[in-house]
Structures are given as structure tokens and as C-alpha cells.
Amino acid sequence: MSTPAQYYNSIPPVAKAYATICLVTSLAYNLHLYDPEIIALIYGDVFKRFQIWRLITNFFFIGPFSLTFAFRLFIILKYGVQLERGPFDKRTADYVWMFFFGALSLLVVAAIPFFRFLFMGPSLVFMIVYVWSRELPNTRVNIQGLVELKGFYLPWAMLAVDLVLGNRLMSSLLGIGVGHLYYFLTVLYPLSGGTNFCKTPLWVHKLVAYWGKGYQMNSPIQRDPSTGVAFQGRSRRVGGTSNAPTRAQTRNTGEEETSTVTPSNGGAFSGRGRRLNAH
């Protein structure tokens, strides 16, 4: 059995960073170290007083210590981690971009007063749940030994739990909506022959390379291990063989789909499985 320190160190970097910031933010609030209004999303203060930090800090507060806080932190540490270790394995920059895309989309939606909340962190958490459900739709999920269902239906089960905990559903529904927008633009639309308008921007690759955590396959930004400085360039093998993986050949095996990938370099590759009849 691993110790708490070993468990914490085993968490992949993106989920670890977000969960840690949320935990520290709520801990500081419960210790009365700050007034939560200072970090809330108040557009009047953003534009009139130039308190730009509110556009970022509001995503880090997912509630005071309570069952609701534990529920949201659980989602990050379970489904956020599974996303990072599964569909986004060796795709750290893409995973970071998913968070940025969700945050930017929620900020745009929050410009409409009816959809505005002081803290959009809960919406971002539900975006994680939705993207997980689309990436791993056939995974069997057992909820406290009471209900077993396919992963595709997990957001709606989590929505029911959120309702039982007495939370407003609108913020959670916003997260589901933004999650669907992300999945449509990055997966469904490109698979149907459309252009991927939501590719991970170069600045995100640079940010991840500068951060020095995780790994991004085929990144346009490489990290020089001798200097620790990120630089831009194309990676080439000495023998001139491309490292790019071939297209995954997906086959349906009834209850579960499996993905078989044969990279040209004979190495291991972890990528996204795709359902032939994806929703």
C-alpha cells in the first residue's frame, strides 16, 4: 500500500497541478486567509479596475471544505488522472490546451449575465467528466456499488449526485456544454472530414516545454536536455526514419472497442481509441 507522498508523486503533472491549486485555495479560505470575493469572476472589476487575475483565479475555487468540495476534487483525481494517463498519454500540451479551451469558453459564456457565476471551477470540473465519457464511452463505471453504467452516461450520473448534494445544476451543465464543444471541434468534426480549427496552439507547446513536465508527442517545440531551454525545431532520427505513428485501426468487439496501432518505428504508442459509431 502506497503512502500519501507516494500517491501524490504518482499523479500525472496536469491533474496534480490543478488539484493542488484547488486544494490550497480552499484550505486558505477555510483558514480565513483571504476573502473569496478577491478571486471571484466580477467583470466590473476586471474592466474598470484592471483586476485581470480574476479571469484565472475564479477557476481555482471549487468550494469550501465540504462534501461538494470532496466530490469535485475526487473527479479531478480520478477522471482527470485517467484522461491524462489514457487518451492524453504523451500529449501533455494537448491536455493543457483542453483546460485553456474550457476556461476561455466559459469566460465567453459568463459574459451573458444569466450564465455568470462568481466561480467557474465547478464547470471546468464537469468538462473533465464529459470529455472522459466521450473518450472512454464503454468503460464500466460502478458508483458506490449502487449503480453500474457505461462511461458514456457518467456526466448525467454525476449531475444527479450534484443535485443530491444541493448544488445548482446550471454551472455543471455549462461544463458539459463546453466539454461537448471541445470534443466536437477536436474529434468529431475532424473525423467527419472537417478541418481541425482547435489544434493546440504553438504558445501552449512552448509553455509546456518551459514547464518541463510531461511529454508531448511530435511537438513542434523540443526541449534541449543539456540547457533546460525550450527551442523550436523538427525532430529527426539519425537513420532518417519517421517517428510518426500510422493511423490506428479500430475494431468493434461488441461490448468494448480496442485500438491496435502499428508505429513505423516499431515502438510503443498510446493514442485515442475511436468508436466507429461515435456519438
Side-chain angles (χ1 to χ4, degrees):
M1 185 175 181
S2 63
T3 65
Q6 290 173 330
Y7 168 73
Y8 181 77
N9 291 331
S10 70
I11 301 173
V14 180
K16 178 193 291 186
Y18 187 52
T20 301
I21 295 173
C22 290
L23 178 61
V24 170
T25 303
S26 293
L27 176 62
Y29 168 76
N30 280 269
L31 293 176
H32 306 288
L33 297 180
Y34 71 95
D35 183 347
E37 186 177 339
I38 295 175
I39 64 172
L41 179 61
I42 302 175
Y43 275 121
D45 290 340
V46 171
F47 295 113
K48 294 179 181 179
R49 300 181 181 178
F50 301 102
Q51 296 178 356
I52 307 299
W53 66 82
R54 294 178 181 274
L55 299 175
I56 301 173
T57 55
N58 78 93
F59 292 103
F60 298 145
F61 188 76
I62 56 176
F65 285 168
S66 61
L67 285 176
T68 295
F69 170 81
F71 170 62
R72 291 165 179 167
L73 189 64
F74 166 78
I75 289 177
I76 299 171
L77 292 176
K78 182 178 176 73
Y79 301 108
V81 167
Q82 288 182 3
L83 267 181
E84 192 167 358
R85 287 177 175 167
F88 287 94
D89 184 31
K90 297 180 177 64
R91 297 175 55 219
T92 303
D94 293 339
Y95 196 44
V96 170
W97 171 237
M98 185 197 83
F99 278 85
F100 274 117
F101 177 90
L104 292 170
S105 299
L106 288 169
L107 288 175
V108 172
V109 172
I112 304 173
F114 180 74
F115 297 121
R116 186 176 304 164
F117 295 90
L118 293 177
F119 303 100
M120 304 297 285
S123 300
L124 197 60
V125 169
F126 260 81
M127 176 188 178
I128 294 173
V129 175
Y130 184 84
V131 174
W132 184 95
S133 74
R134 298 308 303 263
E135 292 284 3
L136 303 167
N138 292 310
T139 301
R140 306 301 298 184
V141 179
N142 189 297
I143 301 178
Q144 299 298 321
L146 299 176
V147 179
E148 184 173 295
L149 67 161
K150 284 188 175 183
F152 182 79
Y153 302 105
L154 181 65
W156 313 111
M158 294 292 100
L159 203 63
V161 174
D162 213 30
L163 181 62
V164 170
L165 291 174
N167 300 314
R168 297 176 61 183
L169 296 185
M170 181 57 69
S171 64
S172 302
L173 289 171
L174 286 178
I176 291 175
V178 168
H180 180 73
L181 177 64
Y182 170 82
Y183 191 77
F184 175 80
L185 292 177
T186 60
V187 178
L188 298 182
Y189 186 63
L191 281 178
S192 67
T195 302
N196 185 356
F197 297 107
C198 200
K199 291 179 61 177
T200 303
L202 182 62
W203 64 268
V204 177
H205 286 285
K206 290 182 177 180
L207 178 64
V208 171
Y210 181 80
W211 184 28
K213 303 292 184 180
Y215 175 75
Q216 175 70 36
M217 284 187 311
N218 301 325
S219 174
I221 304 296
Q222 304 298 325
R223 186 177 179 86
D224 186 347
S226 64
T227 62
V229 178
F231 66 92
Q232 183 172 359
R234 297 184 179 182
S235 175
R236 289 287 182 270
R237 297 181 63 192
V238 175
T241 305
S242 171
N243 286 325
T246 60
R247 181 182 297 273
Q249 302 299 322
T250 306
R251 60 180 182 275
N252 192 322
T253 59
E255 186 68 15
E256 180 179 354
E257 283 78 29
T258 60
S259 180
T260 303
V261 182
T262 308
S264 58
N265 62 1
F269 171 77
S270 176
R272 297 187 180 190
R274 288 285 174 260
R275 301 176 64 200
L276 295 180
N277 57 345
H279 293 271

